[in-house]
Coordinates of all heavy atoms in Angstrom, one line a residue:
L93 N -1.5 -11.1 7.8 CA -1.3 -9.8 8.3 C -0.3 -9.1 7.3 O 0.8 -9.6 7.0 CB -0.7 -9.8 9.7 CG -0.3 -8.5 10.3 CD1 -1.6 -7.7 10.5 CD2 0.4 -8.7 11.6
S94 N -0.7 -7.9 6.8 CA 0.1 -7.1 5.9 C 0.9 -6.1 6.7 O 0.6 -5.8 7.8 CB -0.8 -6.5 4.8 OG -1.6 -5.4 5.4
G95 N 1.9 -5.5 6.0 CA 2.7 -4.5 6.6 C 1.9 -3.2 7.0 O 2.1 -2.7 8.1
A97 N -1.3 -3.1 7.7 CA -2.2 -3.5 8.8 C -1.4 -3.6 10.1 O -1.9 -3.2 11.2 CB -2.9 -4.8 8.5
F98 N -0.2 -4.1 10.0 CA 0.7 -4.2 11.2 C 0.9 -2.8 11.8 O 0.7 -2.5 13.0 CB 2.0 -4.9 10.9 CG 3.0 -4.8 12.0 CD1 2.9 -5.6 13.1 CD2 4.0 -3.9 12.0 CE1 3.8 -5.6 14.2 CE2 4.9 -3.8 13.0 CZ 4.8 -4.6 14.1
A99 N 1.4 -1.9 10.9 CA 1.7 -0.5 11.4 C 0.4 0.1 11.9 O 0.5 0.9 12.9 CB 2.3 0.3 10.3
R101 N -1.8 -1.1 13.7 CA -2.1 -1.5 15.0 C -1.6 -0.5 16.1 O -2.0 -0.5 17.2 CB -1.6 -2.9 15.3 CG -2.3 -4.0 14.5 CD -1.6 -5.3 14.9 NE -2.4 -6.5 14.3 CZ -2.1 -7.8 14.5 NH1 -1.0 -8.1 15.2 NH2 -2.8 -8.7 13.9
F102 N -0.6 0.2 15.7 CA 0.1 1.1 16.6 C 0.0 2.6 16.3 O 0.7 3.4 16.8 CB 1.6 0.7 16.7 CG 1.8 -0.7 16.9 CD1 2.1 -1.6 15.9 CD2 1.7 -1.2 18.2 CE1 2.2 -3.0 16.1 CE2 1.9 -2.6 18.5 CZ 2.2 -3.5 17.4
D200 N 5.7 -14.9 4.8 CA 6.1 -15.9 5.8 C 4.8 -16.8 6.0 O 3.9 -16.4 6.7 CB 6.5 -15.2 7.1 CG 6.9 -16.2 8.2 OD1 6.6 -17.5 8.0 OD2 7.4 -15.8 9.2
V202 N 4.4 -19.3 7.8 CA 4.2 -19.8 9.2 C 3.5 -18.8 10.0 O 2.5 -19.2 10.6 CB 5.6 -20.2 9.8 CG1 5.4 -20.6 11.3 CG2 6.3 -21.2 9.0
L203 N 4.0 -17.6 10.1 CA 3.3 -16.5 10.8 C 2.1 -15.9 10.0 O 1.4 -15.1 10.6 CB 4.3 -15.5 11.3 CG 5.3 -15.9 12.3 CD1 6.2 -14.7 12.6 CD2 4.7 -16.5 13.5
R204 N 2.1 -16.2 8.7 CA 1.1 -15.6 7.8 C 1.3 -14.0 7.8 O 0.3 -13.3 7.9 CB -0.3 -16.0 8.2 CG -0.6 -17.4 7.9 CD -2.1 -17.8 8.1 NE -2.4 -19.2 7.8 CZ -2.5 -19.7 6.6 NH1 -2.5 -18.9 5.5 NH2 -2.8 -20.9 6.4
H205 N 2.5 -13.6 7.6 CA 2.8 -12.2 7.4 C 3.2 -12.0 5.9 O 3.9 -12.9 5.4 CB 4.0 -11.8 8.3 CG 3.7 -11.8 9.7 ND1 4.6 -11.5 10.7 CD2 2.5 -12.0 10.4 CE1 4.1 -11.6 11.9 NE2 2.8 -11.8 11.7
C206 N 2.8 -10.9 5.3 CA 3.2 -10.7 3.9 C 3.1 -9.3 3.5 O 2.5 -8.5 4.3 CB 2.3 -11.6 3.0 SG 0.6 -11.1 3.0
L239 N 2.3 2.2 22.2 CA 3.3 1.3 22.9 C 3.4 0.0 22.1 O 2.3 -0.5 21.6 CB 3.0 1.1 24.3 CG 3.1 2.4 25.2 CD1 2.5 2.1 26.6 CD2 4.5 2.9 25.3
P240 N 4.5 -0.7 22.0 CA 5.8 -0.3 22.7 C 6.7 0.5 21.8 O 7.9 0.6 22.1 CB 6.4 -1.7 22.9 CG 5.9 -2.5 21.7 CD 4.5 -2.0 21.4
F241 N 6.2 1.2 20.8 CA 7.0 1.9 19.8 C 7.0 3.4 20.0 O 7.7 4.1 19.3 CB 6.6 1.5 18.4 CG 6.7 0.1 18.1 CD1 5.6 -0.7 17.8 CD2 7.9 -0.6 18.2 CE1 5.6 -2.0 17.5 CE2 8.0 -1.9 17.9 CZ 6.9 -2.7 17.6
L255 N 7.8 1.5 11.0 CA 7.2 0.2 11.5 C 6.8 -0.7 10.4 O 7.0 -1.9 10.5 CB 6.0 0.5 12.4 CG 6.3 1.4 13.7 CD1 5.0 1.6 14.4 CD2 7.3 0.7 14.5
Q256 N 6.2 -0.2 9.3 CA 5.8 -1.0 8.2 C 7.0 -1.6 7.5 O 7.0 -2.8 7.2 CB 5.0 -0.1 7.2 CG 4.5 -0.9 6.0 CD 3.6 -0.1 5.1 OE1 3.2 1.1 5.5 NE2 3.3 -0.6 3.9
L257 N 8.0 -0.9 7.3 CA 9.2 -1.4 6.6 C 9.9 -2.4 7.5 O 10.5 -3.4 7.0 CB 10.2 -0.3 6.2 CG 10.0 0.3 4.8 CD1 8.6 0.8 4.6 CD2 11.0 1.3 4.4
S258 N 9.9 -2.2 8.8 CA 10.5 -3.2 9.8 C 9.8 -4.5 9.7 O 10.4 -5.5 10.0 CB 10.6 -2.6 11.2 OG 11.4 -1.5 11.2
F259 N 8.5 -4.4 9.5 CA 7.7 -5.7 9.4 C 8.2 -6.5 8.2 O 8.3 -7.7 8.3 CB 6.2 -5.3 9.2 CG 5.3 -6.4 9.0 CD1 4.7 -7.1 10.0 CD2 4.9 -6.8 7.7 CE1 3.8 -8.1 9.8 CE2 4.0 -7.8 7.5 CZ 3.5 -8.5 8.5
Y260 N 8.4 -5.8 7.0 CA 8.9 -6.5 5.9 C 10.3 -7.0 6.1 O 10.7 -8.1 5.7 CB 9.0 -5.5 4.7 CG 7.6 -4.9 4.3 CD1 7.5 -3.6 3.8 CD2 6.5 -5.7 4.4 CE1 6.3 -3.1 3.5 CE2 5.2 -5.2 4.0 CZ 5.2 -3.9 3.5 OH 3.9 -3.3 3.2
A261 N 11.1 -6.2 6.8 CA 12.5 -6.6 7.1 C 12.5 -7.9 8.0 O 13.3 -8.8 7.8 CB 13.2 -5.5 7.9
A262 N 11.5 -8.0 8.9 CA 11.5 -9.2 9.8 C 11.2 -10.4 9.0 O 11.7 -11.5 9.3 CB 10.4 -8.9 10.9
I263 N 10.3 -10.3 8.0 CA 10.0 -11.4 7.1 C 11.3 -11.9 6.4 O 11.7 -13.1 6.3 CB 9.0 -11.1 6.1 CG1 7.6 -10.8 6.8 CG2 8.8 -12.3 5.1 CD1 6.5 -10.3 5.8
L264 N 12.1 -10.9 5.8 CA 13.3 -11.3 5.1 C 14.3 -11.8 6.0 O 15.1 -12.8 5.7 CB 13.8 -10.0 4.4 CG 13.0 -9.5 3.2 CD1 13.3 -8.1 2.9 CD2 13.2 -10.4 2.0
I265 N 14.4 -11.3 7.2 CA 15.4 -11.9 8.2 C 15.1 -13.3 8.5 O 16.0 -14.2 8.6 CB 15.4 -11.0 9.5 CG1 16.0 -9.6 9.2 CG2 16.2 -11.7 10.6 CD1 15.8 -8.6 10.3
R266 N 13.8 -13.6 8.7 CA 13.4 -15.0 8.9 C 13.7 -15.9 7.8 O 13.8 -17.1 7.9 CB 11.9 -15.1 9.3 CG 11.6 -14.4 10.6 CD 10.2 -14.8 11.2 NE 9.1 -14.3 10.4 CZ 8.5 -13.1 10.5 NH1 9.0 -12.3 11.5 NH2 7.5 -12.7 9.8
H267 N 13.8 -15.4 6.6 CA 14.2 -16.1 5.4 C 15.7 -16.2 5.2 O 16.2 -16.6 4.1 CB 13.5 -15.6 4.2 CG 12.1 -15.9 4.1 ND1 11.6 -17.2 4.3 CD2 11.0 -15.1 3.8 CE1 10.2 -17.2 4.2 NE2 9.9 -16.0 3.9
V292 N 16.6 -0.9 11.4 CA 15.4 -1.8 11.5 C 14.9 -1.8 12.9 O 15.7 -1.9 13.8 CB 15.8 -3.2 11.0 CG1 14.6 -4.1 11.2 CG2 16.3 -3.2 9.6
V293 N 13.6 -1.5 13.1 CA 13.0 -1.5 14.4 C 12.8 -3.0 14.8 O 12.2 -3.8 14.1 CB 11.7 -0.7 14.4 CG1 11.1 -0.7 15.8 CG2 12.0 0.7 13.9
D294 N 13.1 -3.3 16.1 CA 12.9 -4.6 16.6 C 11.4 -4.8 17.0 O 10.9 -4.1 17.9 CB 13.8 -4.9 17.8 CG 13.6 -6.3 18.4 OD1 12.9 -7.1 17.8 OD2 14.2 -6.5 19.5
I295 N 10.7 -5.6 16.2 CA 9.3 -5.8 16.4 C 9.0 -7.2 17.0 O 7.8 -7.6 17.1 CB 8.4 -5.6 15.2 CG1 8.8 -6.6 14.1 CG2 8.6 -4.2 14.6 CD1 7.9 -6.6 12.9
S296 N 10.0 -7.9 17.4 CA 9.9 -9.3 17.8 C 8.9 -9.5 19.0 O 8.2 -10.5 19.1 CB 11.2 -9.9 18.2 OG 11.9 -9.2 19.2
E297 N 8.8 -8.5 19.9 CA 8.0 -8.7 21.1 C 6.5 -8.6 20.8 O 5.6 -9.0 21.6 CB 8.3 -7.7 22.2 CG 8.0 -6.3 21.9 CD 8.3 -5.4 23.1 OE1 7.4 -5.4 24.0 OE2 9.3 -4.7 23.0
V298 N 6.1 -8.1 19.6 CA 4.7 -8.0 19.3 C 4.3 -8.9 18.1 O 3.1 -8.9 17.7 CB 4.3 -6.5 18.9 CG1 4.5 -5.6 20.1 CG2 5.2 -6.1 17.7
I299 N 5.1 -9.8 17.6 CA 4.8 -10.7 16.6 C 5.0 -12.2 17.1 O 4.7 -13.1 16.4 CB 5.6 -10.5 15.3 CG1 7.1 -10.7 15.5 CG2 5.3 -9.1 14.7 CD1 7.9 -10.6 14.2

Side-chain angles (χ1 to χ4, degrees):
L93 179 65
S94 68
F98 170 79
R101 291 180 171 181
F102 306 98
D200 179 349
V202 177
L203 294 181
R204 292 189 177 276
H205 292 176
C206 66
L239 295 173
F241 301 115
L255 297 181
Q256 182 175 349
L257 267 60
S258 294
F259 177 86
Y260 300 143
I263 296 175
L264 288 162
I265 291 169
R266 292 195 292 272
H267 286 314
V292 177
V293 179
D294 182 5
I295 63 171
S296 58
E297 68 175 283
V298 295
I299 61 172

